Amino acid sequence: MLQLNDVSHVYGNGTRALDHVTLSIPRGMYGLLGPNGAGKSTLMRTVATLQTPTEGTIRFGDIDVIREPERLRRTLGYLPQDFGVYPRVSAYDMLDHMAVLKGVASAGDRKATVEGLLHQVNLWSVRKKALAGFSGGMRQRFGIAQALIGNPELIIVDEPTAGLDPEERNRFLNLLAEIGENVVVILSTHIVEDVSDLCPRMAVLAGGRIQLEGAPLDLIQSTKGRIWMKVIERSELEQYRERFELISTRLFAGRTVVHILSDQEPGEGFTAVEGGLEDVYFSTLAQSRRAA
């Protein structure tokens, strides 16, 4: 289990990116959901020992992550949001090089590791292709392959499906689901569907603080009977925003569909709808903005 207690991080310019974050993250897929600028990447970099928090403690099993970063790195796999590679190097040669850097000294062990990973992420057929020619989804699958070198117990993936087409996204999420059965995998994203599809537990981070934590199904259940929908003209949006607790809007056939949060029937043509994780997420963000 990964345990964060009262973790804060303040950058040199005074920006408080993390504000007393406390989380217990068990084995399996764990979703960290939040908008851009919420502090997700700062939190992932902190857990990955790339920066030291201003205060707080982080433990992974018996490892004190802040005091023993090298111990954690030996059992960590990390796919950052911006994953850089040498573009002219083949996938096979790059993985072999990374295996050396991770301490796989034996040529035979490296061969078995690299070939096994390329098969696992379905890149064997393009193993000799330069990484510059990879699609976005292929690059992300390669990123997971390098993160899996050394059989890590903790894997962090930061915004892994941003920019992927639907087919590549599904392929990548299926791969993550397979990996997440036996280790701790933290999926940091602003895409609600990624979390709803994969994660039995999740947290919402906004403004550097944990706003909500739990099982997606339980969180969705908590909105039952409180989500209401209406189709309005776009010109009416501001007046509805002023009068109701509006949590989301989207366009449909040239008109605007609004969802509001209300404990009682609001009338005025609103109809009750079954809430989803998106409603949970947007209502949490709306409440955090009002509290700010």
Side-chain angles (χ1 to χ4, degrees), residues 217-231:
L217 291 178
D218 292 341
L219 298 176
I220 291 170
Q221 183 65 24
S222 71
T223 66
K224 189 171 184 179
R226 303 174 65 215
I227 307 296
W228 306 82
M229 180 271 288
K230 185 178 180 181
V231 180

Side-chain angles (χ1 to χ4, degrees), residues 82 90 102 105 179 227 253 291:
D82 298 311
S90 73
K102 281 203 171 182
I179 295 166
I227 307 296

Side-chain angles (χ1 to χ4, degrees), residues 10 15 50 55 62 67 77 114 118 139 145 196 220 231 250 252 255 275 281 287 290:
V10 181
T15 300
L50 297 177
E55 60 180 307
D62 65 345
R67 293 185 178 181
V114 170
L118 287 169
R139 284 172 62 90
S196 61
I220 291 170
V231 180
R250 65 180 176 88
F252 178 75
R255 303 186 74 192
Y281 176 54
Q287 290 165 4
R290 284 195 300 275

Side-chain angles (χ1 to χ4, degrees), residues 3-11 15-23 42-43 46-47 51-59 64-67 208-209:
Q3 182 69 48
L4 295 88
N5 287 308
D6 224 20
V7 174
S8 296
H9 190 78
V10 181
Y11 287 106
T15 300
R16 180 173 286 272
L18 298 175
D19 191 2
H20 299 286
V21 171
T22 296
L23 280 175
T42 297
L43 184 57
T46 301
V47 173
Q51 60 190 39
T52 303
T54 306
E55 60 180 307
T57 62
I58 306 173
R59 297 195 66 86
D64 185 322
V65 173
I66 297 172
R67 293 185 178 181
R209 297 181 178 182

